[in-house]
């Protein structure tokens, strides 16, 4: 991922504890089907620019795998539905707080869909 969401480039960013990183915060959501899921969020100082995503670390590659992301990398908030087979982008009218709330509330459904579509 380019731009604001850089969690995929931070292997093991979540290990040990929920933590604040120089470019955002990551915290554990829960375990699902043997994978630990995390939420990463970053609010850029520029008004209205942010990134929120749900991911897990692939134990084989030790890379973070994003399954859902809301960001403003293309000038307005949009939802990258990475859990779906076709991975559509959907324009949304969500604030930073709403994006955190919606992804936190729905992460398990995204994880289920990701498992069905991507194994």
């Amino acid at each position: 991922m380019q731009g604001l969401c850089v969690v995929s480039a931070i292997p093991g960013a979540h290990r040990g504890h929920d933590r604040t990183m120089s470019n955002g915060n990551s915290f554990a959501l829960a375990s699902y089907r043997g994978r630990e899921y995390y939420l990463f969020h970053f609010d850029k100082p520029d008004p209205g620019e942010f990134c929120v995503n749900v991911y897990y670390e692939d134990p084989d590659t030790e890379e973070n795998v994003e399954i859902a992301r809301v960001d403003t990398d293309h000038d307005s908030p949009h939802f990258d539905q990475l859990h779906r087979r076709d991975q559509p982008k959907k324009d949304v009218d969500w604030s930073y707080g709403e994006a955190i709330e919606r992804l936190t509330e729905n992460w398990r459904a995204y994880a289920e869909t990701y498992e069905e579509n991507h194994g």
Side-chain angles (χ1 to χ4, degrees):
M1 169 66 197
Q2 58 191 343
L4 297 173
C5 285
V6 293
V7 70
S8 59
I10 308 172
H14 55 269
R15 285 197 185 121
H17 303 284
D18 299 342
R19 58 187 285 193
T20 300
M21 295 177 283
S22 61
N23 60 345
N25 297 296
S26 183
F27 63 88
L29 291 166
S31 180
Y32 177 73
R33 293 189 180 171
R35 293 180 175 155
E36 291 294 325
Y37 284 85
Y38 302 87
L39 185 120
F40 172 83
H41 59 97
F42 174 63
D43 186 13
K44 195 171 180 178
D46 295 335
E49 292 189 21
F50 62 86
C51 168
V52 181
N53 66 36
V54 175
Y55 69 98
Y56 70 90
E57 183 180 316
D58 183 322
D60 296 327
T61 64
E62 294 188 3
E63 291 184 12
N64 296 328
V65 178
E66 299 174 34
I67 66 165
R69 177 177 58 236
V70 177
D71 66 49
T72 57
D73 272 356
H74 305 287
D75 298 324
S76 63
H78 61 276
F79 181 22
D80 294 299
Q81 300 176 60
L82 307 172
H83 56 285
R84 292 184 38 187
R85 187 174 307 279
D86 56 350
Q87 299 186 349
K89 292 182 187 292
K90 175 183 173 186
D91 289 335
V92 294
D93 188 24
W94 301 345
S95 68
Y96 176 59
E98 286 174 299
I100 291 171
E101 183 177 326
R102 287 177 187 247
L103 267 59
T104 300
E105 289 176 356
N106 298 303
W107 74 269
R108 190 175 306 270
Y110 306 144
E112 288 173 3
T113 304
Y114 185 88
E115 289 285 324
E116 291 168 9
N117 291 319
H118 303 284

